[in-house]
Amino acid sequence: MPKYKAPRGTYDILPGESYKWQYVRALFRQTARLFNYREIETPIFEDSNIFERTVGDTSDIVEKEMYKFQDKKGRIFALRPEGTASVVRAYIENGLHVKNNTSKLFYLGPMFRYDRPQKGRHRQFYQYGIENIGSVSPYIDAEVIALADHFLKKLGLENYQLQINSIGCENCAKDYDKALQEYFSSYRGELCADCQKRLDKNPKRILDCKVKSCQKIAVDAPSMLDYLDNDCAANFQALQAHLEEMEISFKINHRIVRGLDYYTQTAFEFVDNNLGAQNTLIGGGRYDGLIKKLGGKDQSGIGFAGGFERLLLAMKTEKIGFATEDIPDLYFVNIGSKAQKTGIKIMQELRQNDVSVEFDPDRTSISSQMKAANRAGAKFCLILGEDELVKKRVILKDMASGVQHEYPLDSIISEIRNRLASS
Ligand code: HAM
């Protein structure tokens, strides 16, 4: 047993896996750029109020899952449980609303939630996400959804479903909360302790409870869609019309409330059909009051985030391949100290010419170096011994075909570059 282990709910991304992460991250960056989003990075910890005031004090995240700590000066910080509040904080603090091209932002990075770890659910997990700040047009809602859909399709995923809902605005919530309170009151004794508190403070949160008995009771709860005011209903209709224009299929699911309090109107989830309990690939929605709540202008925003872990699981289930792992172009086999001296120069030059080279000075015999070259998966081997050095020549071996030729030392860089370009 090793003496130290990664904390429960966290994991290492090891060589052999990391190239898959690079692949999905690169594809997300590409997709975001297609829609003209620009990357933002925020700190991993923030003033805990930023999350408490926005995600909601009756949400699971704030009630149970935040990693909070006090610094040496007694300030209370939290490891970010999500990206939206941090991005909005950065947007306001840096005056991004008055700068050009700064209202469409995307991000990638680790988030932290003290949740019960299981397949697709971790305590440190990695999200990709976008935020579009400033527009209230339902076209933007559809475009944000289109970006998520485009990304999943580009990865090759097919077995997922887009589900949409509208959770209305403050105005709709008044009547809806009353209806929920009436409905759940008759089950008060059967609700979990948290939901009993939620019933008075924020009954919508009961719809999102992870406790099985609460979920059962919630099945017949009133639907938000029956309580939308005219504006919210019209926006929801417009969103559906735009999705149809974009030929993006969707299902209305009036049960989607999302686990964070800042949502208003559009809420959506991309749900994988194969993954078990943790099957939400992407979740997002519109947030009307969030920017103002954090001290900004009265602007609206909409965005989404997804977890890379679930994405990789979904890709594995659908047997989708990744771009191949990075392997060295060339393994340098050096025999003898004189050859090594020349070899070091050649390797420097190769790397300066963008050829990736592996060399192991601890291996001295040709057979051990050749074995290592095979294990590394190198495309070519460059073999330089004392004999070749005298002739001012070097051997280049194609590892796939096993064919090898001698070349003059002074032409080897261009020869390798040509061979790599045509391989
Ligand atoms: P969320 O629904 O809390 O939304 O998380 C979004 C996605 O992150 C989930 O659908 C899931 O794929 C992934 N995720 C969440 N928790 C975990 C976990 N413990 N382990 C692994 N993956 C997880 C948000 O975070 C919002 N900020 C999304 C958003 C952006 N809304 C508007 N803009």
Side-chain angles (χ1 to χ4, degrees):
M1 276 286 275
K3 190 168 170 189
Y4 295 110
K5 292 172 91 182
R8 186 165 138 76
T10 73
Y11 56 90
D12 304 302
I13 302 174
L14 301 173
E17 285 294 312
S18 50
Y19 76 97
K20 298 179 184 170
W21 287 76
Q22 278 163 23
Y23 173 72
V24 287
R25 283 176 183 143
L27 216 81
F28 184 69
R29 285 196 166 97
Q30 265 176 34
T31 311
R33 288 200 189 111
L34 272 183
F35 288 74
N36 194 29
Y37 281 73
R38 296 170 75 201
E39 188 160 359
I40 182 166
E41 286 191 48
T42 61
I44 276 167
F45 65 98
E46 299 266 3
D47 181 332
S48 69
N49 279 314
I50 289 176
F51 307 110
E52 278 157 1
R53 297 215 45 222
T54 56
V55 171
D57 53 6
T58 49
S59 67
D60 272 354
I61 293 180
V62 169
E63 270 189 339
K64 306 175 194 161
E65 297 172 1
M66 282 230 288
Y67 280 91
K68 275 170 73 167
F69 62 95
Q70 204 172 17
D71 77 354
K72 290 192 194 321
K73 289 212 166 143
R75 290 170 290 217
I76 310 290
F77 291 109
L79 294 184
R80 60 183 185 192
E82 61 109 38
T84 310
S86 302
V87 168
V88 168
R89 192 268 310 134
Y91 177 83
I92 300 165
E93 183 179 340
N94 296 290
L96 297 190
H97 63 288
V98 291
K99 298 187 178 152
N100 287 335
N101 273 328
T102 47
S103 59
K104 293 170 75 178
L105 305 162
F106 78 89
Y107 50 93
L108 304 164
M111 307 291 160
F112 305 84
R113 295 184 193 175
Y114 186 80
D115 206 339
R116 196 168 54 79
Q118 55 181 276
K119 194 175 160 200
R121 194 202 279 167
H122 306 268
R123 291 183 174 164
Q124 174 169 339
F125 58 100
Y126 293 81
Q127 275 189 345
Y128 52 92
I130 69 158
E131 309 300 341
N132 184 316
I133 301 175
S135 171
V136 291
S137 164
Y139 166 77
I140 294 298
D141 298 38
E143 199 188 77
V144 162
I145 290 174
L147 194 163
D149 187 57
H150 191 93
F151 177 52
L152 298 181
K153 288 216 170 81
K154 195 125 190 180
L155 287 167
L157 288 169
E158 289 174 352
N159 231 324
Y160 65 84
Q161 187 183 50
L162 164 64
Q163 301 184 355
I164 61 168
N165 190 23
S166 173
I167 44 184
C169 62
E170 260 181 17
N171 185 32
C172 322
K174 281 183 221 143
D175 287 344
Y176 185 51
D177 284 357
K178 226 183 268 161
L180 285 178
Q181 270 161 344
E182 255 167 47
Y183 173 82
F184 283 116
S185 289
S186 49
Y187 298 97
R188 188 181 276 273
E190 294 162 58
L191 293 171
C192 73
D194 285 337
C195 282
Q196 293 191 11
K197 278 187 248 152
R198 290 168 180 154
L199 183 53
D200 303 317
K201 273 180 99 175
N202 190 355
K204 241 189 267 141
R205 282 275 72 84
I206 303 175
L207 300 174
D208 195 45
C209 180
K210 288 176 191 145
V211 176
K212 283 252 151 50
S213 49
C214 297
Q215 286 178 348
K216 239 186 190 165
I217 298 169
V219 169
D220 292 320
S223 159
M224 179 78 227
L225 293 178
D226 296 330
Y227 292 83
L228 293 183
D229 64 18
N230 289 343
D231 270 3
C232 291
N235 272 339
F236 194 45
Q237 285 303 327
L239 164 65
Q240 292 172 57
H242 288 310
L243 288 175
E244 275 157 18
E245 284 150 20
M246 294 171 174
E247 296 182 14
I248 295 174
S249 47
F250 61 88
K251 187 183 156 212
I252 295 174
N253 176 0
H254 71 93
R255 291 257 148 267
I256 296 178
V257 282
R258 312 277 305 119
L260 308 99
D261 274 356
Y262 49 63
Y263 290 110
T264 50
Q265 297 197 338
T266 301
F268 61 92
E269 292 184 349
F270 283 84
V271 179
D272 190 87
N273 301 331
N274 299 318
L275 300 181
Q278 307 304 317
N279 62 351
T280 312
L281 291 173
I282 291 176
R286 184 166 277 287
Y287 40 86
D288 276 342
L290 177 63
I291 299 155
K292 197 167 171 205
K293 214 172 208 172
L294 286 176
K297 288 175 46 164
D298 193 6
Q299 281 181 300
S300 182
I302 176 164
F304 69 73
F308 276 121
E309 294 79 4
R310 294 179 195 183
L311 202 61
L312 294 175
L313 283 173
M315 289 175 73
K316 195 170 168 197
T317 326
E318 291 197 37
K319 298 195 169 54
I320 294 169
F322 297 85
T324 46
E325 188 169 9
D326 279 346
I327 47 168
D329 295 323
L330 191 123
Y331 196 98
F332 210 108
V333 177
N334 259 230
I335 309 133
S337 55
K338 274 194 199 144
Q340 187 163 320
K341 245 186 173 173
T342 309
I344 289 170
K345 279 194 191 129
I346 298 176
M347 281 192 285
Q348 275 290 86
E349 217 176 314
L350 281 166
R351 288 172 178 144
Q352 278 155 9
N353 278 278
D354 293 329
V355 179
S356 65
V357 184
E358 174 64 310
F359 168 64
D360 182 351
D362 293 326
R363 290 177 194 273
T364 46
S365 81
I366 184 159
S367 69
S368 127
Q369 292 186 64
M370 290 306 289
K371 262 189 216 149
N374 264 321
R375 270 204 301 272
K379 292 172 207 152
F380 295 100
C381 244
L382 198 61
I383 305 163
L384 184 65
E386 310 281 305
D387 287 353
E388 287 79 31
L389 203 59
V390 172
K391 290 189 276 178
K392 290 200 167 54
R393 293 177 83 79
V394 61
I395 299 168
L396 184 66
K397 179 173 179 178
D398 182 321
M399 297 300 277
S401 66
V403 176
Q404 61 181 56
H405 290 292
E406 263 190 27
Y407 294 94
L409 260 179
D410 56 10
S411 69
I412 195 63
I413 307 279
S414 61
E415 180 61 32
I416 291 170
R417 280 177 61 89
N418 289 342
R419 296 280 287 271
L420 284 170
S422 60
S423 72

